[in-house]
Amino acid sequence: MRLSKRPPVYSLPSYSLTGDLLGFLRCGLQYRYTKIGKLPATRPLQAWFGSFIHGVLEEAYRRYLGIPGIQPPQAPPYADDLMDEMCKLVDKRIAAQGLFPWSQDLEELGYRRAKAAVNELGALLFPMISKAEVRLTGARPLPKDLILPQYQTREADRYEVSGVVDVITHVELHDPELQNNQLLRLILQGIQRDVPDSFEVIIDYKGMRRPPKMVAENDLSFWDIYAWQTQTYAYLRGKQQESLPVVAGVLIYLNELLPTRRDMLRLKKEIAEGTTDVLPEKWSWEDRVLNSWRSGQPVPDLPLEYRLKRAIRVVTVDPGSVQEALTKFDETVARIEICRGKELEQGRLVDPWEKNASDEETCSACDARTFCPSYGKEKSPSLPVGRG
């Protein structure tokens, strides 16, 4: 009697917009250790900051909505004691996930930035929110035409794209409650296309400062990468039945709401070099402050209007820009698949994976930098030289 055998399980490779796309483009070797190898980082500073500020904004939005019969709706700005309560609550939640700040100074900076995000941004953003933490998924053909045959190790012919949108706003242009909303005005000014009366805007928080628009030829461009990510979010959201036309994505660089001394130095450098796109108006108060400020002085309190302009980046969504972003995503997936195939073929780990040492912040938080062949600033371990 001939017995049939069970066919192999057909599963789609899954790639997320943040964990995979951005992780690999930051550095392929770091991605191999932390994402595929699931090795926890010893200094997860970026993860702590991002998770903490996201969590505080989510908790504040719950307070804004209220709980029927238990807690009345409460709009920001919030008193310091309530903000401290929310910050400590979120800090405990992410500590259970193994995420901690490096020092008390960094924890205090996270608390102050979270308070600025809620009280200054949340007061404008929360009335616009229709949905929060929306999960998006879709499938695309696996780009096997970009992968050499010897590196094609997948049986699947498609791959899953996944991501989580922080906020989706449903905008009615004639809504009287939003007519004087400063944030909405900035968004509408940045949309470079005609919009219908009702539409959606995708909003994604970034726990970082606004990246420069222009970088050196071989450096990593976070400006382009985050635009591709936003366009892909818009593509996936547009496939959901209940969605309205998505006309733009908005990136909110939360660090711009409360810049540090280091942020101010980088801003002055970018203004001098012409690599940033949001400049203070000539002879304005912030222009005079930035020109006269020196690193040994306290960080100036820039006007909210200018800080909001620095924090808000609008990415217009149209069919052409979406297609370009999807092509870039396919190319990145192909590069990851090639690295995986090379590792299986060579039986080695370090050499097959792409490396990137152009972003110092990524390298400084990486545990592989001591033996990474692309990172030249770390001294290689060596045996002690004996005397004789």
Side-chain angles (χ1 to χ4, degrees):
M1 178 179 177
R2 185 181 296 275
L3 298 177
S4 62
K5 65 178 182 180
R6 178 181 297 174
V9 176
Y10 183 88
S11 60
L12 293 180
S14 181
Y15 287 97
S16 72
L17 289 159
T18 302
D20 292 288
L21 175 70
L22 180 58
F24 178 80
L25 292 174
R26 276 184 180 273
C27 177
L29 183 61
Q30 187 184 89
Y31 166 79
R32 170 62 180 85
Y33 280 116
T34 58
K35 176 67 177 181
I36 298 178
K38 301 187 184 303
L39 292 177
T42 58
R43 295 179 292 179
L45 173 63
Q46 294 166 332
W48 182 84
F49 258 108
S51 298
F52 176 73
I53 297 204
H54 276 70
V56 174
L57 282 166
E58 291 169 21
E59 184 64 28
Y61 182 59
R62 294 191 188 100
R63 306 294 176 105
Y64 170 78
L65 294 177
I67 304 174
I70 300 177
Q71 177 185 307
Q74 186 176 2
Y78 299 134
D80 285 344
D81 56 348
L82 180 55
M83 283 301 313
D84 287 335
E85 176 189 334
M86 288 189 284
C87 287
K88 291 176 182 177
L89 177 64
V90 173
D91 206 358
K92 289 180 181 179
R93 287 176 185 165
I94 62 176
Q97 304 171 20
L99 297 177
F100 303 93
W102 282 1
S103 65
Q104 184 176 355
D105 289 342
L106 289 172
E107 185 177 31
E108 290 176 357
L109 176 60
Y111 274 47
R112 289 192 289 118
R113 278 185 169 157
K115 292 175 182 179
V118 170
N119 286 336
E120 295 183 336
L121 177 68
L124 303 172
L125 176 62
F126 292 168
M128 297 170 54
I129 296 177
S130 61
K131 291 186 178 181
E133 293 295 306
V134 179
R135 296 192 175 274
L136 305 174
T137 59
R140 289 186 55 76
L142 195 65
K144 292 192 174 183
D145 57 320
L146 302 177
I147 308 171
L148 295 176
Q150 64 267 33
Y151 301 137
Q152 294 188 14
T153 60
R154 304 280 196 179
E155 295 294 334
D157 60 353
R158 301 178 71 79
Y159 71 93
E160 180 190 41
V161 188
S162 63
V164 179
V165 174
D166 292 322
V167 168
I168 292 178
T169 66
H170 174 185
V171 179
E172 297 278 353
L173 288 180
H174 304 294
D175 186 346
E177 294 184 5
L178 299 178
Q179 292 301 309
N180 297 319
N181 189 301
Q182 185 179 2
L183 177 60
L184 179 59
R185 287 202 305 269
L186 285 174
I187 293 173
L188 292 176
Q189 289 170 6
I191 298 176
Q192 300 175 354
R193 57 168 288 188
D194 295 332
V195 298
D197 289 338
S198 298
F199 58 89
E200 287 183 350
V201 172
I202 287 174
I203 295 181
D204 195 29
Y205 307 135
K206 298 296 180 187
M208 58 184 292
R209 66 182 298 274
R210 189 185 192 93
K213 188 174 182 179
M214 291 174 284
V215 297
E217 183 177 355
N218 295 322
D219 287 353
L220 188 65
S221 175
F222 290 108
W223 183 268
D224 293 334
I225 291 171
Y226 287 127
W228 301 335
Q229 179 188 8
T230 303
Q231 299 281 355
T232 309
Y233 277 145
Y235 164 78
L236 295 175
R237 173 59 180 169
K239 297 296 183 181
Q240 296 182 331
Q241 290 185 350
E242 75 277 13
S243 70
L244 294 171
V246 180
V247 301
V250 174
L251 299 168
I252 300 182
Y253 301 108
L254 297 170
N255 290 15
E256 295 289 349
L257 297 173
L258 186 68
T260 62
R261 181 174 286 104
R262 183 181 179 186
D263 294 333
M264 292 290 293
L265 289 171
R266 293 177 67 176
L267 174 58
K268 289 194 64 165
K269 180 181 178 182
E270 290 167 4
I271 291 174
E273 295 175 347
T275 56
T276 185
D277 63 320
V278 178
L279 303 172
E281 293 184 10
K282 198 66 174 176
W283 309 118
S284 64
W285 185 85
E286 54 266 27
D287 181 52
R288 296 195 300 271
V289 168
L290 286 170
N291 283 329
S292 62
W293 181 80
R294 298 295 180 266
S295 61
Q297 299 173 344
V299 177
D301 187 13
L302 296 173
L304 176 61
E305 182 180 3
Y306 181 67
R307 286 184 286 122
L308 276 178
K309 288 180 179 179
R310 291 282 307 170
I312 303 301
R313 178 189 171 192
V314 181
V315 181
T316 303
V317 173
D318 57 55
S321 61
V322 168
Q323 186 55 52
E324 179 184 359
L326 293 174
T327 299
K328 295 294 184 181
F329 197 97
D330 289 342
E331 291 173 354
T332 305
V333 168
R335 288 164 59 186
I336 297 174
E337 292 294 315
I338 290 172
C339 291
R340 291 174 61 100
K342 286 182 178 179
E343 180 181 338
L344 289 173
E345 180 189 50
Q346 299 176 15
R348 302 169 66 87
L349 193 150
V350 175
D351 292 342
W353 286 88
E354 295 183 19
K355 304 159 194 70
N356 170 45
S358 66
D359 183 52
E360 181 60 30
E361 292 185 0
T362 298
C363 291
S364 63
C366 180
D367 297 323
R369 69 186 183 281
T370 56
F371 55 85
C372 175
S374 295
Y375 187 66
K377 294 185 179 181
E378 193 80 22
K379 293 182 178 180
S380 301
S382 59
L383 293 174
V385 179
R387 298 179 181 178

